Amino acid sequence: MLTIGKYSFGVGDRFAHQAAAQLRAFQKLADDGVDVAPVWNKSNREHTFVGSRPQSVYDAAKAAVEKLGWAKPWHVDADHIQLATVEPFLPCSDFFTIDVADWIGKAAPASDIDTFVDRHSELVGSLELAGLSTPLQITGDDVRRVAEQYLLAVKEAAVIYQHIASVKGSGNLVAEVSMDETDSPQTPPELLIILAAMADEKIPLQTIAPKFTGRFNKGVDYVGDLAQFEREFNDDLAVIAHAVKQYGLPENLKLSVHSGSDKFSLYPIIRESLRRTGAGLHIKTAGTTWLEELIGLAEAGGDGLELAKEIYLYALDHVEELSAPYASVIDVDASKLLDLATVQQYSGSEFASSIRHIPANPMFNASMRQLLHVSFKVAAKTGSRYTDLLVANEEIVGKQVTENIYERHMRPLFLG
């Protein structure tokens, strides 16, 4: 079976120009003694917005791997796919993020729920699992409630997985199940019940992405109770380790954190938990690369800065339209967005400082960064003008991309 390494790191590349710059960060980390597998990801929604095809992600990644002589594993993720959207990803992906959020809360047939509850009496009681902060307290009513909430979603994941496996071959793919894009977080007891259902459906998932408590907004830091996240994360690791032994799930099954990027305050917690437990991790950072491109173009000045300003000013006039598809994962305060006159007067370094995620910098503007994070399709509308500028300013843009991934994400997460 194709297996993903202990540590893997998802990177997005909206315009398929930064794969080599991204890969350099993985090389730098490998030079530090930590091997992390790159996973290039791009969702069907993002392809639709920019007019690209899934094959472009594979092609860009393969070119980068060959250019830099990367001899370690790498993957291409069909990100947040469903049965209706998976087909174009099948020839060019080996990692499949199966998204079943739309089925959460829809009840499976009553007979299926009854069968599940009867089959899993071992879930009921005070469960003392190794590594838990406190025993899990699960009642029979809890098992039924969770089955009513999630069993149909798990069955849909099985349908999608079987379809992918029928085309790719079950030994030629890495399966992840994503439940993070939903309203309510899954608690550790709920995760255990869900994993029991996954095993019943014979889904050989290698990573699972639950929704954690707190806000995971795009492009900015975590908003929530750090102590609660630490308890949840550690308890989830304990639940996964138990489920692997109890239900025969793949031994390399690991937790996946769909971060929305830049959850800096969580990195020390995650790093210490991985050190203490020896667990693996998949973390998906996605869209920061597009912002680093804008930062690089701004720093380059001239036409690059002019276009960066144009994109922002267009976004400023279309805040609601651009934000709507991402309403659950951004918090843009319109009153804090820089106005047209201010931005027009900005130098390249000032514009870059406004959106480069260094919270200690007094110029950093979280609302401006989040708005631009979801405005990549504005750049796509410029056609080759945007991508031509990426090529013309490849060195300065690539430097921003590499430094962002390595210095702000990888080092704090894996090295400290």
Side-chain angles (χ1 to χ4, degrees), residues 16 42 47 52-62 76 88-93:
K42 192 171 181 179
H47 282 296
S52 57
R53 299 283 295 168
Q55 184 67 40
S56 66
V57 180
Y58 175 86
D59 292 344
K62 186 172 186 290
V76 175
F89 294 89
L90 291 172
C92 50
S93 301

Side-chain angles (χ1 to χ4, degrees), residues 115-191:
T115 299
F116 178 82
V117 172
D118 291 343
R119 182 186 297 128
H120 289 291
S121 60
E122 83 287 348
L123 289 167
V124 178
S126 180
L127 307 183
E128 296 186 9
L129 311 184
L132 283 179
S133 56
T134 58
L136 299 184
Q137 305 296 333
I138 303 177
T139 66
D141 287 343
D142 291 331
V143 177
R144 181 169 295 277
R145 174 184 55 80
V146 175
E148 290 173 347
Q149 183 80 358
Y150 293 101
L151 188 57
L152 189 66
V154 172
K155 288 181 176 295
E156 179 65 19
V159 170
I160 299 170
Y161 169 78
Q162 291 298 337
H163 176 69
I164 298 168
S166 72
V167 177
K168 302 287 292 186
S170 59
N172 298 317
L173 68 119
V174 174
E176 170 173 293
V177 175
S178 165
M179 295 186 166
D180 66 302
E181 293 196 353
T182 187
D183 293 334
S184 300
Q186 294 92 42
T187 65
E190 289 172 338
L191 180 61

Side-chain angles (χ1 to χ4, degrees), residues 14-226:
R14 298 285 195 267
F15 298 96
H17 278 65
Q18 306 307 325
Q22 293 168 327
L23 189 55
R24 288 189 186 98
F26 290 85
Q27 287 183 317
K28 289 167 71 72
L29 190 64
D31 289 343
D32 293 327
V34 182
D35 286 336
V36 177
V39 182
W40 279 277
N41 53 261
K42 192 171 181 179
S43 68
N44 182 70
R45 177 170 62 181
E46 291 158 5
H47 282 296
T48 300
F49 282 165
V50 303
S52 57
R53 299 283 295 168
Q55 184 67 40
S56 66
V57 180
Y58 175 86
D59 292 344
K62 186 172 186 290
V65 165
E66 293 175 350
K67 177 180 179 179
L68 300 185
W70 179 258
K72 300 176 186 291
W74 57 281
H75 304 275
V76 175
D77 179 7
D79 187 20
H80 285 284
I81 50 90
Q82 298 178 347
L83 202 58
T85 57
V86 70
E87 293 302 322
F89 294 89
L90 291 172
C92 50
S93 301
D94 62 352
F95 186 114
F96 292 83
T97 299
I98 300 170
D99 188 335
V100 293
D102 288 349
W103 285 267
I104 294 174
K106 298 177 181 177
S111 59
D112 290 349
I113 294 172
D114 290 342
T115 299
F116 178 82
V117 172
D118 291 343
R119 182 186 297 128
H120 289 291
S121 60
E122 83 287 348
L123 289 167
V124 178
S126 180
L127 307 183
E128 296 186 9
L129 311 184
L132 283 179
S133 56
T134 58
L136 299 184
Q137 305 296 333
I138 303 177
T139 66
D141 287 343
D142 291 331
V143 177
R144 181 169 295 277
R145 174 184 55 80
V146 175
E148 290 173 347
Q149 183 80 358
Y150 293 101
L151 188 57
L152 189 66
V154 172
K155 288 181 176 295
E156 179 65 19
V159 170
I160 299 170
Y161 169 78
Q162 291 298 337
H163 176 69
I164 298 168
S166 72
V167 177
K168 302 287 292 186
S170 59
N172 298 317
L173 68 119
V174 174
E176 170 173 293
V177 175
S178 165
M179 295 186 166
D180 66 302
E181 293 196 353
T182 187
D183 293 334
S184 300
Q186 294 92 42
T187 65
E190 289 172 338
L191 180 61
L192 179 57
I193 298 168
I194 290 166
L195 289 173
M198 296 276 185
D200 286 352
E201 296 297 328
K202 296 181 169 45
I203 306 171
L205 73 166
Q206 297 187 45
T207 83
I208 185 164
K211 180 179 176 66
F212 295 96
T213 302
R215 291 284 291 183
F216 283 74
N217 288 336
K218 297 284 187 182
V220 291
D221 206 349
Y222 173 77
V223 179
D225 185 331
L226 292 176

Side-chain angles (χ1 to χ4, degrees), residues 230 234 267-277 413:
E230 184 172 12
N234 282 307
Y267 289 169
I269 294 170
I270 295 173
R271 184 182 68 246
E272 174 56 26
S273 296
L274 299 183
R275 183 203 63 77
R276 178 179 56 80
T277 64
L413 186 55

